Amino acid sequence: MELKLYVDRLSQPSRAILIFCKANGIEFEEVKVEFTKKETFSPEFTEINPMQQVPAIVHGDFKLFESHAILIYLASAFPGVADHWYPADVRKRAKIHSVLFWHHSNLRRGAVGYIFNSAITIISGQPVNLQAAAEGEKLLLESLAKIESYWLQGDGPFLLGNEKPSIADLSLVCEIMQLEAADESERERILGPHKRILKWIEDTKNAIEPYFDEIHSIMPVAREKIKELKAQASKP
Amino acid sequence: MELKLYVDRLSQPSRAILIFCKANGIEFEEVKVEFTKKETFSPEFTEINPMQQVPAIVHGDFKLFESHAILIYLASAFPGVADHWYPADVRKRAKIHSVLFWHHSNLRRGAVGYIFNSAITIISGQPVNLQAAAEGEKLLLESLAKIESYWLQGDGPFLLGNEKPSIADLSLVCEIMQLEAADESERERILGPHKRILKWIEDTKNAIEPYFDEIHSIMPVAREKIKELKAQASKP
């Protein structure tokens, strides 16, 4: 296969890339690199991504990492990707870049800080870090508020008021779906008050079925595993 | 003037945008929004950037924020910008996106954490936060090591081995130039061991003179002001 995706479905940007390829009929080979088993640190994978993180891709002789750069590349290099994912118009495209860069310093930083430190880390055999999780949660809540009060304030159901999803919707919704790794009560506490965000998640999911649910089917499994590991860790 | 730049020269991404416009003959009006005086929180500026940060631009009826999105927009929307700043080739462009997104989660986060908390904050009348500065410094040092061992490992003098600077060189070098706000000994301690980075800063500066030095002339002034404020704060 000419396009190889080096991914872990437990990683939210990995899921975004898998869903994007499936939704757009882009053929690929999925190469699993499990970060919870520290496979991102292998010499073979470090050759592909020296930053030792998933996702990364190899397309022929071309190597690329950073999930947003990958989504933009896939939307640009493969013919047949509908314009709404990454519009050719310079101003529409600029607005999508604005969301993507904002995401990196805000929603991603908050969500990763919260969910990694409160849940995912336990799969790697590391203890939870409640202080780091609390710092992450603060930025996560601020970011959710900004999504609701600003990015979702347009006429259409998607970010920037668009009628159809872009790569920004896909990336940000996959980020928020990472909260599926938390206890149901925690997810409800954080997302419950954000009705507009809940609707946007549903709209994005519905626009990309069946691939959205297919790739996210790992999340309930991860949640049960995390619960089990936490229960074991709390035994005397 | 059709293009308005809402900037503060004390902000490193603001400087990158000012230098880019000057170097490419893009006419603009500079609108000063001083973040140390909390002018980013004014209702007028919040209309332009609801995230209340500089830089932001207004081009005719088009508003945009996030500095990397702005640099890409300026390079795309204004004719006459040389290709090396933001190449049309999909793969070259993808590599530049990869640097820009990496920057947000690594170098910027580290550099801002370090220099804002150890120095810039004092201009706003806030005390330094040595713990936050130390956390920032750790990520800053890791990021500088990655720039030297990976991003600058190509044949040419610029990032990705390029022969001429791109918007990524401009953005990352302006970030590192923020260390000019620190005491000279601190800057030497952090940057001194990174000979390749020091050469890259010089190469980037030389490629964009006289605009690079013109826009950075605020930095020695800021450093002296910070020294003075620190001396006052340490008086009993």
Side-chain angles (χ1 to χ4, degrees):
Chain A
M1 187 71 64
E2 205 199 359
L3 176 66
K4 289 187 182 184
L5 308 184
Y6 294 79
V7 288
D8 182 335
R9 291 186 182 204
L10 262 186
S11 122
Q12 62 281 35
S14 292
R15 291 196 302 274
I17 286 164
L18 286 162
I19 292 168
F20 184 82
C21 286
K22 287 188 172 240
N24 287 288
I26 297 172
E27 289 189 25
F28 62 87
E29 178 187 338
E30 180 176 353
V31 184
K32 289 182 189 173
V33 184
E34 294 190 51
F35 68 86
T36 54
K37 294 182 181 164
K38 304 199 185 305
E39 291 175 0
T40 50
F41 296 97
S42 76
E44 296 75 23
F45 184 69
T46 303
E47 271 294 302
I48 291 160
N49 182 358
M51 306 305 170
Q52 301 177 315
Q53 290 180 322
V54 280
I57 68 168
V58 177
H59 185 205
D61 59 356
F62 181 67
K63 292 186 275 191
L64 190 65
F65 57 87
E66 281 293 333
S67 67
H68 289 163
I70 293 170
L71 287 170
I72 292 172
Y73 173 75
L74 294 172
S76 308
F78 285 83
V81 174
D83 189 70
H84 64 85
W85 288 109
Y86 184 60
D89 177 83
V90 169
R91 289 187 172 188
K92 287 183 183 167
R93 188 170 276 198
K95 289 285 191 182
I96 287 172
H97 293 152
S98 180
V99 181
L100 294 175
F101 285 111
W102 176 85
H103 176 203
H104 255 228
S105 310
N106 294 277
L107 177 65
R108 167 151 301 163
R109 199 170 149 187
V112 166
Y114 166 69
I115 199 70
F116 186 83
N117 290 300
S118 68
I120 305 279
T121 185
I122 207 162
I123 303 182
S124 320
Q126 304 292 317
V128 297
N129 179 339
L130 293 180
Q131 194 197 325
E135 286 168 16
E137 184 184 325
K138 183 170 176 288
L139 184 53
L140 168 60
L141 292 175
E142 287 167 8
S143 302
L144 293 174
K146 282 288 185 199
I147 291 174
E148 210 158 68
S149 68
Y150 180 68
W151 295 118
L152 285 175
Q153 277 298 316
D155 291 335
F158 297 103
L159 295 170
L160 303 162
N162 290 338
E163 287 299 329
K164 291 188 172 181
S166 73
I167 55 173
D169 294 279
L170 180 55
S171 176
L172 274 64
V173 167
C174 284
E175 192 75 47
I176 296 172
M177 286 298 290
Q178 198 72 344
L179 296 178
E180 298 273 324
D183 286 352
E184 293 88 338
S185 60
E186 276 290 279
R187 184 173 182 276
E188 172 58 26
R189 178 177 68 80
I190 290 175
L191 287 184
H194 298 287
K195 302 298 178 206
R196 195 180 275 257
I197 287 179
L198 290 170
K199 181 176 180 301
W200 164 56
I201 294 172
E202 278 306 301
D203 288 337
T204 303
K205 184 188 284 199
N206 291 335
I208 324 177
E209 288 300 17
Y211 310 111
F212 192 95
D213 274 349
E214 177 194 333
I215 299 296
H216 280 93
S217 61
I218 194 170
M219 297 310 295
V221 181
R223 181 170 58 233
E224 291 311 310
K225 170 116 190 221
I226 289 164
K227 269 189 197 169
E228 198 181 297
L229 291 168
K230 280 189 178 173
Q232 281 173 16
S234 69
K235 277 187 192 158
Chain B
M1 189 70 65
E2 204 200 3
L3 175 66
K4 289 186 182 183
L5 307 184
Y6 294 80
V7 289
D8 182 336
R9 292 187 181 203
L10 262 186
S11 121
Q12 62 281 35
S14 292
R15 292 196 302 273
I17 286 164
L18 286 163
I19 293 169
F20 184 82
C21 286
K22 287 188 173 239
N24 287 287
I26 297 172
E27 289 190 22
F28 62 88
E29 179 188 337
E30 179 176 353
V31 184
K32 290 182 190 174
V33 184
E34 294 190 50
F35 68 86
T36 54
K37 293 181 183 166
K38 303 200 186 306
E39 291 175 0
T40 50
F41 296 96
S42 76
E44 297 75 23
F45 184 69
T46 303
E47 271 293 302
I48 291 161
N49 182 359
M51 306 305 170
Q52 302 177 313
Q53 290 179 322
V54 281
I57 68 168
V58 176
H59 185 205
D61 60 356
F62 181 68
K63 292 186 274 189
L64 189 65
F65 57 88
E66 281 293 335
S67 66
H68 290 163
I70 293 170
L71 287 170
I72 292 172
Y73 173 75
L74 295 171
S76 307
F78 286 83
V81 174
D83 188 70
H84 64 85
W85 288 108
Y86 184 60
D89 177 83
V90 170
R91 290 188 171 187
K92 288 183 183 168
R93 189 170 275 198
K95 289 286 191 183
I96 287 172
H97 293 153
S98 180
V99 181
L100 294 176
F101 285 109
W102 175 85
H103 176 204
H104 255 227
S105 310
N106 293 276
L107 177 66
R108 168 152 300 162
R109 200 170 149 188
V112 166
Y114 167 69
I115 199 71
F116 186 83
N117 290 300
S118 68
I120 304 281
T121 186
I122 207 162
I123 303 181
S124 319
Q126 303 293 318
V128 297
N129 179 340
L130 293 181
Q131 195 198 327
E135 286 168 17
E137 185 184 324
K138 183 171 176 287
L139 184 54
L140 168 60
L141 293 175
E142 288 167 7
S143 302
L144 292 174
K146 282 288 184 198
I147 291 173
E148 210 159 67
S149 68
Y150 180 68
W151 295 117
L152 284 176
Q153 276 299 315
D155 291 337
F158 297 103
L159 295 170
L160 302 163
N162 290 338
E163 288 297 328
K164 291 187 171 182
S166 74
I167 55 174
D169 293 280
L170 180 56
S171 176
L172 273 65
V173 167
C174 284
E175 192 74 49
I176 296 172
M177 286 299 290
Q178 199 72 342
L179 295 177
E180 299 272 322
D183 286 352
E184 293 88 336
S185 60
E186 276 291 280
R187 185 174 180 276
E188 172 59 26
R189 178 177 68 80
I190 289 175
L191 286 183
H194 298 286
K195 302 299 177 207
R196 195 181 275 257
I197 287 179
L198 290 170
K199 179 176 181 302
W200 165 58
I201 294 171
E202 278 307 302
D203 288 337
T204 303
K205 183 188 284 200
N206 291 335
I208 325 177
E209 287 300 17
Y211 310 111
F212 193 95
D213 274 349
E214 176 193 335
I215 299 296
H216 280 93
S217 61
I218 194 170
M219 296 310 295
V221 181
R223 180 170 58 232
E224 292 311 311
K225 171 116 191 225
I226 289 164
K227 270 190 197 169
E228 198 182 297
L229 291 168
K230 280 188 177 173
Q232 282 173 16
S234 69
K235 277 184 192 160

